[in-house]
Amino acid sequence: MTVTSSVGNGPAGLGGRTVMVTGASSGIGAAAARLFAAQGARVVLMARREDRLRELAAQLRKEGGTVALAPGDVTEPADVERAVATAVDTFGSLDAAFNNAGWGMMATPLHELDDEVYDRIMDVNVRGVWNCLRHQIPVLLDQGTGGAIVNTCSTAGQFATGAVAPYVAAKHAVLGLTRAAAAEYGDRDIRVNALMVGTTRTELVEQALLETPGLEEAAVARAVQKRIADPEEVARVAVWLCGPDASFMTGAAVPVDGGCSAV
């Protein structure tokens, strides 16, 4: 049997493919953008912090990468629609997406949380992925050449942890959206997978580790590998899921957690 999907299955891999990355201004998103560009993909960068995006774009272009900017907020449907249109208008296609934008919080008991915090967590983590899927999938369907989407989830999408109830609920929802989309569009060769990410040294996490005594020690203790991930370690798996070696994977919850989910 010959596999013909345009993303991840073709002989050229990611070379010349167009990939949209959300949350690209820092952390896992920025690391993924660098890796996609290094593999020859044309990268559309989306995040709220336009200054950061411009700095990253300049760096990638200096290194020979092909990049387009799409500043915006994933919680705003019009911003996501504009980012998808930037991919198509600039590069002629959208072949893959890494829906990575997310937001968490400090540990707070459920009964002490404000509605505003709950709403913000659900908006960024769930509605943000929902908005991306709703605008990315129609383009992939219209192109008729398949595609790959990776959604950043969390170990909290499978296991409850104390004092972060809205985040746990949001990440469970992201995994549900991932599996539903995979089931709906798998016969059109659109693959949708989730990264179940453990504690990773992003800017938000580093701030939390500094502000919360004992948090780093607890995170290290949960991981079989007894350390916290570097953003690039997580990003490598996202890039791999969009590439040729993951051509028969869809609907998967892929752990990148140092073994937290193994015990």
Side-chain angles (χ1 to χ4, degrees), residues 20 22 33 46 95 97 117 121 141 170 178 193 207 209 241-242 248:
M20 174 179 166
T22 72
M46 183 179 184
D95 303 299
V117 174
I121 289 171
L141 290 171
T178 299
N193 293 292
Q207 181 180 352
L209 295 177
L241 284 169
C242 289
F248 201 55

Side-chain angles (χ1 to χ4, degrees), residues 1-237:
M1 182 183 74
T2 302
V3 182
T4 58
S5 170
S6 70
V7 174
N9 300 339
L14 290 169
R17 310 301 186 187
T18 303
V19 183
M20 174 179 166
V21 180
T22 72
S25 61
S26 65
I28 296 168
R34 293 186 186 97
L35 293 171
F36 279 122
Q39 290 200 13
R42 303 172 299 196
V43 188
V44 177
L45 306 174
M46 183 179 184
R48 291 177 300 153
R49 295 181 290 184
E50 186 172 355
D51 57 336
R52 290 284 194 92
L53 289 186
R54 292 192 179 281
E55 291 174 7
L56 177 58
Q59 177 189 358
L60 295 181
R61 287 167 180 153
K62 185 176 180 179
E63 296 169 356
T66 304
V67 185
L69 298 182
D73 187 334
V74 294
T75 68
E76 298 292 339
D79 287 1
V80 176
E81 184 177 19
R82 186 162 48 248
V84 172
T86 295
V88 176
D89 294 344
T90 305
F91 301 124
S93 67
L94 175 67
D95 303 299
F98 180 30
N99 298 327
N100 170 71
W103 187 73
M105 64 175 187
M106 300 298 293
T108 305
L110 184 153
H111 71 282
E112 296 180 4
L113 279 167
D114 296 331
D115 288 345
E116 292 78 7
V117 174
Y118 174 87
D119 290 342
R120 179 63 178 164
I121 289 171
M122 298 301 288
D123 276 350
V124 176
N125 293 287
V126 185
R127 185 172 294 279
V129 170
W130 169 258
N131 286 337
C132 288
L133 293 173
R134 286 189 65 221
H135 290 289
Q136 292 159 354
I137 287 172
V139 172
L140 299 178
L141 290 171
D142 287 345
Q143 290 173 169
T145 51
I149 297 173
V150 177
N151 298 322
T152 295
C153 194
S154 166
T155 53
Q158 291 181 305
F159 310 104
T161 56
V164 289
Y167 187 74
V168 170
K171 291 305 185 181
H172 272 68
V174 170
L175 182 56
L177 284 173
T178 299
R179 288 173 167 164
E184 286 191 48
Y185 303 105
D187 61 351
R188 303 291 292 274
D189 207 14
I190 297 173
R191 300 186 293 106
V192 189
N193 293 292
L195 292 185
M196 312 307 288
V197 181
T199 306
T200 305
R201 290 193 183 279
T202 64
E203 290 180 11
L204 285 174
V205 170
E206 288 281 21
Q207 181 180 352
L209 295 177
L210 287 173
E211 295 176 352
T212 309
L215 184 60
E216 181 163 0
E217 291 77 7
V220 169
R222 283 196 301 270
V224 171
Q225 292 182 264
K226 301 306 177 189
R227 64 181 180 84
I228 293 173
D230 180 83
E232 185 173 322
E233 293 180 288
V234 180
R236 288 190 203 116
V237 184

